[in-house]
């Protein structure tokens, strides 16, 4: 099938490369000239394991092209996926101007039937707006359909999530659109849920909100664990074994970050508000997450007493492992909070230091975990990168000025840490 992807960000690029891998002819369009130039030169502008190889392979085989012209994609493709950004506005509403703009451009270049699919995360009823926008711009007598096909791609695992998803959701309003989408996803073995467009739109926001709720729930339980001497790992395991609850997303820590959960929660609350429903549950989910980071700073203070003039070594800056993404990373709030208390910060992250350097002031970036530990009054873990699991803790203890580790992701075993002579604090244990 001939596929056009509008927006070559994380979702667009991964989807484009994967659709090409499935044998389709794909053209990815982005208005960022620099980005498209890089992609044409074989440079992948984002960090996503496996993506570079997939893009190169499919470009070489001629199945994946890049362009800055939406018209190119519309002329060549029967199906157009809108994957442009929907960043939050000041008030938490998503900014949908890019979705409107590309819908107009698509309509303006259409000379015969096309299927326009929203893949960007958008509020319920956006499909209706896309339909109206296309209708206004399109030439007389030209047919089209609008559909919603939300993405469930985790950064760092996006290719696997695309190729082996838990489910594929297709929101359509015609059999013709349904058939095209069923065809394109035919090679992927996964349950396909066909709904109306509004339901598909709601499924996306409801899924992300539910996952965020699980994280805030377990973080709230971790507070009770700390107050009672229970262990959050054991509690989460005992709870998660109930198949109705599920084991995943029950890892207590410094809270969720990234470009999706915080933004989507806010957007979902705003949508509910506009529809006349006060979604108090989600407000609490958000609040618990904010407080989790404040509580972590308090935990560091409890371990070190005064922070003024002390050096704190931070391992992990990205919002989760296997990404360089710093957007809404818990490390931002935590490091800035520690700096406000007068602490000096040294930090290391396997991938996010270039991004972090654009955000932080007065942070000394180090080449590895040992350089961070050297002379620090405490080591703080904020992202559970695999390599932190493997560091030589004896060496770390020798390098630290004070043998204090505060682990915001519970990656170490408390017993082993106390045997090694560390003052060790995790979350909820
Ligand atoms: C999330 C969803 O998982 C995807 O399904 C969705 O498609 C995507 O948002 C999106 O809307 O585009 P992502 O933001 O990449 O994906 O990251 P997650 O792996 O979901 O993690 C989000 C945050 O939750 C991270 O900060 C992570 O550290 C935190 N988390 C996750 C926990 O604190 N505890 C857990 O048990 C799991």
């Amino acid at each position: 099938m001939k596929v056009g992807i509008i927006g070559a960000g994380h979702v667009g690029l991964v989807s484009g490369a994967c659709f090409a891998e499935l044998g389709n002819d794909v053209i990815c369009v982005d208005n960022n000239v620099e980005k498209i130039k890089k992609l044409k030169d074989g440079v992948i502008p984002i960090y996503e394991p496996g993506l570079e190889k997939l893009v190169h392979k499919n470009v070489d085989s001629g199945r994946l092209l890049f362009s800055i012209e939406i018209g190119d994609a519309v002329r060549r493709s029967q199906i157009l996926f809108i994957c442009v950004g929907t960043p939050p506005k000041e008030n938490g509403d998503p900014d949908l101007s890019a979705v409107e703009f590309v819908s107009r451009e698509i309509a303006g270049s259409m000379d015969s039937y096309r299927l326009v699919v929203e893949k960007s995360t958008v509020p319920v009823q956006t499909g209706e707006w896309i339909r109206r926008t296309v209708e206004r711009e399109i030439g007389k007598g030209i047919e089209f359909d609008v559909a919603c096909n939300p993405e469930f791609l985790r950064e760092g695992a996006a290719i696997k999530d695309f190729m082996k998803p838990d489910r594929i959701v297709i929101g359509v309003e015609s059999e013709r659109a349904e058939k095209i989408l069923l065809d394109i996803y035919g090679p992927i073995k996964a349950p396909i849920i066909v709904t109306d467009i509004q339901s598909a739109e709601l499924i996306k926001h409801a899924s992300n909100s539910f996952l965020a709720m699980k994280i805030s729930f377990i973080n709230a339980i971790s507070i009770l664990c700390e107050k009672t001497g229970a262990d959050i790992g054991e509690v989460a395991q005992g709870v998660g074994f109930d198949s109705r609850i599920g084991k995943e997303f029950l890892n207590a820590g410094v809270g969720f970050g990234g470009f999706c959960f915080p933004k989507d929660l806010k957007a979902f609350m705003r949508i509910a508000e506009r529809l006349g429903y006060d979604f108090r549950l989600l407000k609490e989910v958000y609040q618990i997450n904010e407080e989790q980071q404040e509580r972590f700073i308090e935990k560091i203070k409890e371990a070190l007493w005064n922070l003024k003039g002390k050096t704190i070594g931070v391992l992990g800056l990205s919002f989760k492992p296997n990404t360089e993404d710093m957007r809404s990373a818990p490390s931002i709030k935590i490091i800035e909070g520690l700096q406000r208390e007068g602490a000096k910060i040294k930090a290391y992250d396997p991938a996010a230091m270039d991004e972090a350097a654009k955000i932080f002031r007065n942070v000394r970036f180090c080449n590895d975990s040992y350089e961070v530990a050297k002379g620090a009054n405490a080591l703080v873990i904020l992202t559970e990168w695999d390599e932190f699991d493997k560091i030589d803790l004896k060496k770390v203890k020798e390098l630290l000025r004070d043998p204090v580790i505060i682990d915001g992701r519970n990656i170490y075993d408390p017993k082993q840490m106390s045997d090694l002579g560390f003052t060790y604090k995790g979350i909820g244990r």
Side-chain angles (χ1 to χ4, degrees):
M1 205 173 288
K2 297 205 178 298
V3 178
I5 305 275
I6 316 300
H10 187 258
V11 171
L13 205 49
V14 169
S15 304
C18 289
F19 278 132
E21 180 69 12
L22 294 176
N24 300 289
D25 284 321
V26 179
I27 173 163
C28 282
V29 177
D30 202 292
N31 62 359
N32 183 330
V33 180
E34 194 57 32
K35 186 190 277 182
I36 292 298
K37 187 177 173 303
K38 275 190 182 166
L39 284 163
K40 283 185 174 172
D41 292 343
V43 180
I44 310 301
I46 53 168
Y47 179 91
E48 180 62 45
L51 184 60
E52 185 169 12
K53 208 166 135 203
L54 205 62
V55 168
H56 288 173
K57 179 180 163 201
N58 284 284
V59 167
D60 290 348
S61 68
R63 282 197 302 268
L64 182 58
L65 302 175
F66 298 103
S67 168
I68 52 164
E69 297 290 339
I70 290 183
D72 285 348
V74 180
R75 276 185 293 278
R76 297 171 67 105
S77 319
Q78 180 189 24
I79 173 166
L80 296 145
F81 287 91
I82 299 181
C83 301
V84 295
T86 53
K89 296 196 268 193
E90 281 279 300
N91 64 6
D93 279 341
D95 180 351
L96 299 173
S97 53
V99 175
E100 179 179 350
F101 177 79
V102 303
S103 304
R104 279 181 200 279
E105 293 270 299
I106 289 170
S109 302
M110 266 163 61
D111 54 2
S112 59
Y113 175 82
R114 297 289 185 277
L115 172 59
V116 182
V117 186
E118 51 170 9
K119 215 179 210 331
S120 307
T121 301
V122 290
V124 61
Q125 295 172 334
T126 301
E128 179 55 26
W129 276 108
I130 294 177
R131 195 178 55 71
R132 281 188 221 160
T133 306
V134 174
E135 248 162 22
R136 254 184 236 139
E137 298 287 320
I138 202 169
K140 239 190 157 108
I142 301 173
E143 294 191 1
F144 72 97
D145 280 308
V146 171
C148 171
N149 168 223
E151 54 87 13
F152 303 102
L153 309 177
R154 284 165 301 171
E155 283 183 32
I159 292 169
K160 181 191 152 283
D161 285 350
F162 190 99
M163 293 299 197
K164 291 185 180 156
D166 288 344
R167 80 306 206 181
I168 292 165
V169 173
I170 287 172
V172 285
E173 49 190 10
S174 78
E175 278 179 21
R176 177 169 53 180
E178 178 179 341
K179 186 176 174 323
I180 295 172
L181 283 164
L182 289 179
D183 276 356
I184 197 164
Y185 281 112
I188 295 182
K189 287 195 177 28
I192 299 194
I193 295 141
V194 181
T195 69
D196 55 78
I197 293 181
Q198 289 85 327
S199 303
E201 290 168 335
L202 272 176
I203 286 169
K204 169 67 192 197
H205 267 133
S207 301
N208 273 6
S209 302
F210 194 89
L211 292 169
M213 181 180 77
K214 277 186 98 174
I215 299 168
S216 280
F217 182 84
I218 206 67
N219 282 336
I221 300 289
S222 79
I223 299 171
L224 297 181
C225 288
E226 287 175 12
K227 290 189 187 294
T228 56
D231 182 301
I232 191 64
E234 289 174 7
V235 174
Q237 196 187 26
V239 170
F241 257 97
D242 186 327
S243 61
R244 292 169 303 174
I245 296 173
K247 295 180 194 136
E248 297 202 42
F249 279 69
L250 287 181
N251 295 318
V254 285
F256 56 78
F259 195 53
C260 302
F261 285 179
K263 144 178 110 62
D264 288 358
L265 264 185
K266 275 196 196 153
F268 207 24
M269 287 187 260
R270 294 280 302 174
I271 296 159
E273 194 180 307
R274 201 157 315 116
L275 294 170
Y277 175 60
D278 181 8
F279 211 147
R280 293 185 304 277
L281 176 65
L282 294 189
K283 289 182 181 163
E284 202 51 42
V285 168
Y286 195 86
Q287 192 55 30
I288 291 172
N289 197 56
E290 294 283 297
E291 286 166 13
Q292 192 67 0
Q293 288 151 30
E294 288 152 22
R295 286 172 44 78
F296 191 70
I297 296 174
E298 287 306 312
K299 208 183 268 283
I300 298 172
K301 278 161 71 179
E302 278 163 27
L304 294 183
W305 195 15
N306 297 300
L307 297 187
K308 197 169 173 192
K310 294 209 169 123
T311 300
I312 297 178
V314 174
L315 295 188
L317 298 167
S318 55
F319 81 98
K320 65 171 190 176
N322 301 321
T323 172
E324 93 280 63
D325 200 339
M326 284 294 301
R327 290 175 295 179
S328 297
S331 65
I332 300 175
K333 198 168 161 191
I334 293 169
I335 288 178
E336 289 177 350
L338 295 172
Q339 287 178 323
R340 268 195 301 278
E341 297 277 341
K344 293 182 232 155
I345 306 293
K346 295 166 84 178
Y348 166 70
D349 186 284
M353 290 200 289
D354 287 348
E355 287 304 308
K358 296 178 196 160
I359 298 169
F360 295 117
R361 283 157 188 258
N362 299 325
V363 168
R364 201 179 120 202
F365 294 104
C366 300
N367 291 320
D368 60 27
S369 305
Y370 303 109
E371 195 185 328
V372 171
K374 196 168 175 202
N377 296 92
L379 201 60
V380 163
I381 316 290
L382 295 184
T383 318
E384 67 278 32
W385 283 91
D386 270 353
E387 69 170 76
F388 301 150
D389 235 354
K390 300 185 186 105
I391 55 178
D392 179 346
L393 288 165
K394 281 196 185 131
K395 186 169 164 189
V396 165
K397 184 160 174 266
E398 278 162 26
L399 289 168
L400 279 168
R401 185 187 172 108
D402 303 313
V404 178
I405 295 193
I406 301 135
D407 180 356
R409 297 291 185 176
N410 288 347
I411 61 175
Y412 300 122
D413 174 23
K415 164 101 179 45
Q416 189 202 358
M417 297 307 276
S418 97
D419 290 350
L420 283 168
F422 283 106
T423 299
Y424 175 76
K425 281 175 182 273
I427 304 279
R429 55 214 297 235

